[in-house]
Amino acid sequence: ADGGPRDGHDDDYEDHDEDFENLASGETGTLLGFAEPLNGEGGPPLISRFFPSKVGGKPAWLNLRNIPEAPKCLNCKEVLSFLLQVYAPRTQGSNKDDAFHRTIFVFTCKKASCLRTGKSIRVFRSQLGRNNEYYSSEPPVELIDGDENDGFEVETDSLNPVQGVHLCHVCGVLSSQRCSRCRSVYYCSRKHQAAHWKA
């Protein structure tokens, strides 16, 4: 069930594994989506303030303060990989004003053996009202063709969460473990730290 925002302005990322199982079993109907390649220049950047839907990469978190910790596979206990996110604002219902912005995030295990168990996919939902502490209540500005910089205006600080919130350099989930070598990069696990060092 959709919950109202906490403190009147935001909502934590809620775990919706059961909702995903219902969707997968067909109890709520069938939804199809198709991924398209980026169209190069001119489209909105895949960052939080443009509310993207996307596959792969790192999550573009909606709520920049209450970011979930690294979700783990319920079967092998390894950190899950980010699969996709879908921007799905609520346009109907009694609490639509509390979900003016709403994004669904899906994480999955890469192991085929775990995927067969039904315990390897985690789904999170985040929502914000139109008036919130992170984004303007007005749509992003799209520049007109012929301007010096066609496309969308991008602020350089729009990629980062609020001060004091650190994200894993590899997967983009919440992290409190700072690299002991450089003291500037954070990781959610030793496995991701080792993967980054090898790269």
Side-chain angles (χ1 to χ4, degrees), residues 5-7 9-13 48-51 61-67 101 126-138 155 157-163 165:
R6 298 188 179 189
D7 301 325
H9 61 80
D10 63 19
D11 196 7
D12 287 342
Y13 287 79
S48 297
R49 80 179 193 96
F50 289 98
F51 314 112
W61 298 112
L62 179 63
N63 186 325
L64 302 180
R65 188 183 307 278
N66 298 318
I67 296 172
H101 298 297
S126 178
Q127 64 188 45
L128 296 169
R130 180 166 187 167
N131 296 309
N132 59 78
E133 64 179 303
Y134 309 114
Y135 311 107
S136 169
S137 60
E138 298 303 318
E155 297 174 0
D157 62 350
S158 59
L159 286 164
N160 302 317
V162 296
Q163 186 174 3
V165 176

Side-chain angles (χ1 to χ4, degrees), residues 58 168-171 179 181-182 184-187 189-199:
K58 298 178 184 178
C168 176
H169 187 77
V170 174
C171 67
C179 176
R181 182 179 296 177
C182 70
S184 61
V185 174
Y186 287 78
Y187 301 102
S189 63
R190 289 187 179 275
K191 185 174 182 179
H192 281 188
Q193 181 182 33
H196 183 223
W197 284 6
K198 288 179 182 178

Side-chain angles (χ1 to χ4, degrees), residues 1 6 25 33 41 61 65-66 76 94 115 126 145 150 156 167:
R6 298 188 179 189
S25 67
E41 299 179 1
W61 298 112
R65 188 183 307 278
N66 298 318
C76 70
S94 59
L115 291 173
S126 178
D145 289 344
D150 291 347
T156 55
L167 304 180

Side-chain angles (χ1 to χ4, degrees), residues 26 68-69 72 74 84 90 100 106 116 123 135 152 157 194:
E69 294 183 0
K72 295 185 178 181
L74 298 179
L84 60 87
R90 190 179 182 97
F100 184 83
V106 181
R116 288 190 288 267
V123 180
Y135 311 107
F152 289 77
D157 62 350

Side-chain angles (χ1 to χ4, degrees), residues 67-89:
I67 296 172
E69 294 183 0
K72 295 185 178 181
C73 176
L74 298 179
N75 187 55
C76 70
K77 310 306 180 187
E78 292 286 343
V79 174
L80 297 178
S81 297
F82 172 67
L83 177 62
L84 60 87
Q85 68 184 69
V86 177
Y87 182 63

